[in-house]
Each structure stands twice: as structure tokens, then as C-alpha cells.
């Protein structure tokens, strides 16, 4: 029997073909797809994701890593983990992927105007944060201090290394990178990213933190900000990653309790999800 909601759902479940303009290898395990929307324009907010379909293989949620102010193409930065991400990594310029979205909640860029921004990324987690960094730089007068802290395993795993250096060289932005394990060529900080927090100045009473990385990294970072710097939990934003199928709150695949990670998140204020972080297999 036909219902009123069926056409809308079918429409939202139908991927639109986007042409691959370029594939850029970022790291040995990570690449960026530059994708052309069919009509050239694509509106999204920093922190949102799309469902990316490798034709004949499968569909995965991937955050957008480009500036929301850019027109003409979007960037999606992807780490090879399994069948779909490996298939996406074999694409060449001129190939097509299917895109649905943008979906999910954004980083709260409007809400936090006038505050210090403390942006903390771990590993591939810098990719979903990059549109927030671009937005803050493009609208620099809207925010007070801008601090980007990044932690990854080794110097060979530093994502967007050139840009991190450029941001760090600016007078209106602080950017610092740390690695878990250094090699002989690395002169920077060594250790977990939370160790960098005490090395940068910010006003905890007027700061919003945006944190993205492995769940253990986000948990430890949020605890450090709350316990070490007395930051209010509602001023800390994190992302939840869970397996997804529909991305639009229909299939229940990403459901936990009353929340759907795909529509209530994936960006959440910490008090909404802190207790979910240890729960696997949602
Ligand atoms: C909202 C959202 C945004 C994301 N953004 C990005 C992004 O910008 N870049 C990126 O590289 N990845 C991102 N991911 C993760 C990405 O969706 C998974 O890596 C991908 O689904 C793996 O699919 P696969 O078929 O290649 O591997 P699979 O064979 O499905 O899985 C390979 C391994 O990864 C694990 N895995 C699969 N899906 C997830 C998941 N969602 N979270 C955690 N572990 C998972 C599996 O348990 C398995 O161990 C995002 C996930 C979500 C939910
Ligand atoms: S992925 Fe289907 S409800 Fe979230």
C-alpha cells in the first residue's frame, strides 16, 4: 500500500552520480576524492557527511573535508579499511561514485561565534574537522582564539601536513602536531594529543572544543578538558561513528536508545553521548 512518506524515502535513498575529478594520495592508507556535483553546486555545513556509493560494492558514510564556501567540487578524505573504502581508493579521474546527502548535524559554528575555538583531531579525525577550521579562518573576525591540536601515530601518518604548517605559521591561529612515536627526523612534540592542551593559551570559560578521532581519544580529551581545565561538558562537541545503512533515520541500524547517530548526530554535545562511547556494535 502506498504511503505519503514512500516517495520521499525512495528519493533520499537514490544516489546521485558525482564525477571523480581527482584522486589525491594523502598518506599510504588515506586518499582524498575530489568530486564534481552534477550541477556544479553543493550546499553543506561543516561536519556533515555523505553516503558514498562505490557502484556494485557498497555504500559508506564519509565526512566532507572541504570548505563549505567552495563551489564546484567537494573533497572527501578516506582511510582504506575494508571492501568499500578500498574500492573507492581504486577510482580514477573520470570515474563516478554515487552520493546521497549531505546528512547529519554540523559543528556549531554559528552558535559559538565570539568564543575561543579549540579544535582537537586524532588521525583521520582531522578530515571532518577541516571544514570547521576553514570556516573559522574564512570568518576569522567571528571567533576569538583559534587553536588546532593534532595527534597521530608517526610523522608518516600526519594528515594535511602542509596545511597544518600553514595554519601554525599564521599570527591568528595556533596549530600544533604531536606523534605517538617519533623517528629521527621529527623534532616536534611526542605523546598523546591531550598533552598539548596545557601548552596553548585559551580561556576555558569562553571556549568551545570540537573533538574528532578514535573514541578513546575523544573520551580522554573530553575528560582532560573537564577535569584539568574545568570546561563545561556542554561546550565540548564530539562525533559518533557507528555503522550506517540508510543515513536518514529510517533503518534503525545506527540507533542507540532514543538516538539515531545519523540524524541526531554525528556531531553531538558531549553530555548527549558521553555514556555511549564505550558501547560497541551499535
Ligand atoms: C558519520 C561518519 C563519518 C565518517 N567519516 C569518515 C571519513 O571522513 N573518512 C573515513 O575514512 N572514514 C569515515 N567514517 C568511517 C567509514 O564510514 C568506515 O571506515 C567505512 O564504513 C568502512 O567501510 P568498509 O567497507 O571499507 O570497511 P568494512 O569492511 O565495513 O570495515 C572495516 C573495519 O572498519 C570497521 N568499521 C566499519 N565501519 C565503521 C564505522 N562507521 N566506524 C568505525 N569502524 C567501522 C569495521 O568494524 C572493520 O573493522 C565515517 C563514519 C561515520 C559514521
Ligand atoms: S543509518 Fe539508518 S537509521 Fe541511521
Amino acid at each position: 500500500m502506498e504511503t505519503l512518506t514512500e516517495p520521499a524515502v525512495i528519493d533520499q535513498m537514490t544516489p546521485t552520480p558525482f564525477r571523480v575529478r581527482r584522486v589525491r594520495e594523502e598518506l599510504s592508507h588515506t586518499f582524498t576524492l575530489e568530486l564534481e556535483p552534477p550541477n556544479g553546486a553543493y550546499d553543506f555545513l561543516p561536519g556533515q557527511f555523505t553516503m558514498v556509493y562505490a557502484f556494485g560494492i557498497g555504500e559508506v558514510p564519509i565526512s566532507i573535508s572541504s570548505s563549505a564556501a567552495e563551489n564546484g567540487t567537494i573533497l572527501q578524505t578516506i582511510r582504506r579499511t575494508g571492501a568499500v573504502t578500498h574500492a573507492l581508493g581504486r577510482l580514477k579521474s573520470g570515474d563516478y561514485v554515487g552520493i546521497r546527502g549531505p546528512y547529519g548535524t554540523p559543528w556549531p559554528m554559528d552558535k559559538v561565534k565570539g568564543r575561543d575555538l579549540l579544535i582537537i583531531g586524532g588521525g583521520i579525525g582531522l578530515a571532518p574537522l577541516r571544514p570547521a577550521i576553514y570556516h573559522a579562518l574564512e570568518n576569522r573576525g567571528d571567533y576569538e582564539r583559534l587553536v588546532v591540536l593534532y595527534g597521530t601515530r608517526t610523522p608518516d601518518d600526519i594528515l594535511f601536513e602542509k596545511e597544518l604548517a600553514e595554519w601554525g605559521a599564521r599570527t591568528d591561529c595556533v596549530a600544533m602536531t604531536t606523534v605517538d612515536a617519533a623517528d629521527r627526523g621529527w623534532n616536534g612534540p611526542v605523546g598523546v594529543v591531550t598533552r598539548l592542551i596545557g601548552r596553548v593559551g585559551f580561556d576555558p570559560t569562553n571556549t568551545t572544543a570540537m573533538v574528532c578521532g578514535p573514541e578513546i581519544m575523544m573520551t580522554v580529551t573530553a575528560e582532560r578538558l573537564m577535569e584539568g581545565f574545568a570546561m563545561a561538558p556542554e561546550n565540548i562537541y564530539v562525533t559518533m561513528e557507528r555503522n550506517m545503512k540508510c543515513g536518514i533515520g529510517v533503518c534503525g541500524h545506527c540507533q542507540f536508545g532514543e538516538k539515531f547517530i545519523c540524524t541526531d548526530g554525528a556531531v553531538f554535545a558531549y553530555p548527549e553521548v558521553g555514556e555511549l562511547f564505550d558501547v560497541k556494535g551499535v
Side-chain angles (χ1 to χ4, degrees):
M1 197 178 77
E2 199 174 89
T3 71
L4 283 175
T5 53
E6 271 175 3
V9 170
I10 291 167
D11 202 35
Q12 288 192 67
M13 292 300 291
T14 307
T16 301
F18 279 40
R19 185 175 176 276
V20 178
R21 180 182 287 182
R22 204 170 305 152
V23 184
R24 178 192 162 99
E25 287 298 325
E26 304 279 2
L27 304 168
S28 61
H29 43 68
T30 301
F31 59 95
T32 295
L33 296 179
E34 183 176 352
L35 302 175
E36 290 173 358
N39 60 5
Y42 192 77
D43 291 331
F44 69 95
L45 295 168
Q48 287 194 295
F49 67 93
T50 72
M51 295 300 292
V52 184
Y53 180 39
F55 287 108
I57 310 286
E59 204 181 28
V60 289
I62 300 290
S63 302
I64 301 170
S65 63
S66 47
S67 163
E70 256 171 45
N71 254 327
T73 61
I74 56 165
L75 303 180
Q76 304 214 257
T77 302
I78 305 169
R79 187 182 169 111
R80 294 179 180 87
T81 53
V84 179
T85 48
H86 274 92
L88 293 170
R90 289 191 290 273
L91 293 171
K92 300 275 178 284
S93 169
D95 289 342
Y96 282 82
V97 293
I99 295 289
R100 293 191 294 120
Y103 296 137
T105 51
W107 300 110
M109 303 311 297
D110 284 343
K111 191 176 164 193
V112 303
K113 280 181 183 172
R115 296 173 65 82
D116 290 358
L117 296 187
L118 182 55
I119 296 182
I120 307 181
I124 185 77
L126 187 58
L129 287 167
R130 191 167 68 164
I133 299 168
Y134 286 148
H135 181 92
L137 291 171
E138 288 155 1
N139 301 276
R140 193 61 195 87
D142 286 349
Y143 307 95
E144 293 297 323
R145 280 179 68 78
L146 173 61
V147 177
V148 179
L149 303 179
Y150 179 57
T152 192
R153 281 181 299 177
T154 73
D156 287 341
D157 297 308
I158 299 174
L159 187 62
F160 309 142
E161 187 171 12
K162 192 164 160 273
E163 278 185 300
L164 281 163
E166 286 166 7
W167 298 332
R170 291 174 65 123
T171 52
D172 59 355
C173 175
V174 173
M176 293 177 71
T177 299
T178 182
V179 298
D180 296 338
D183 58 21
R184 270 170 295 169
W186 177 251
N187 295 319
V190 177
V192 289
V193 71
T194 45
R195 289 207 198 154
L196 297 180
I197 299 172
R199 294 175 56 167
V200 291
F202 64 97
D203 172 5
T205 63
N206 188 42
T207 294
T208 297
M210 301 178 189
V211 188
C212 186
E215 282 190 17
I216 182 67
M217 170 265 178
M218 291 192 285
T219 304
V220 169
T221 302
E223 283 171 359
R224 178 86 185 111
L225 292 171
M226 292 183 293
E227 289 160 19
F229 297 88
M231 271 188 67
E234 60 269 25
N235 292 329
I236 302 170
Y237 288 81
V238 294
T239 55
M240 290 284 282
E241 273 202 11
R242 288 293 185 271
N243 292 337
M244 289 184 185
K245 291 287 176 211
C246 71
I248 55 171
V250 170
C251 74
H253 212 77
C254 70
Q255 187 171 5
F256 185 85
E258 292 178 354
K259 289 187 199 312
F260 285 172
I261 305 300
C262 64
T263 47
D264 296 320
V267 174
F268 290 95
Y270 190 71
E272 295 180 82
V273 290
E275 81 281 8
L276 305 186
F277 269 155
D278 290 327
V279 183
K280 300 293 174 206
V282 179

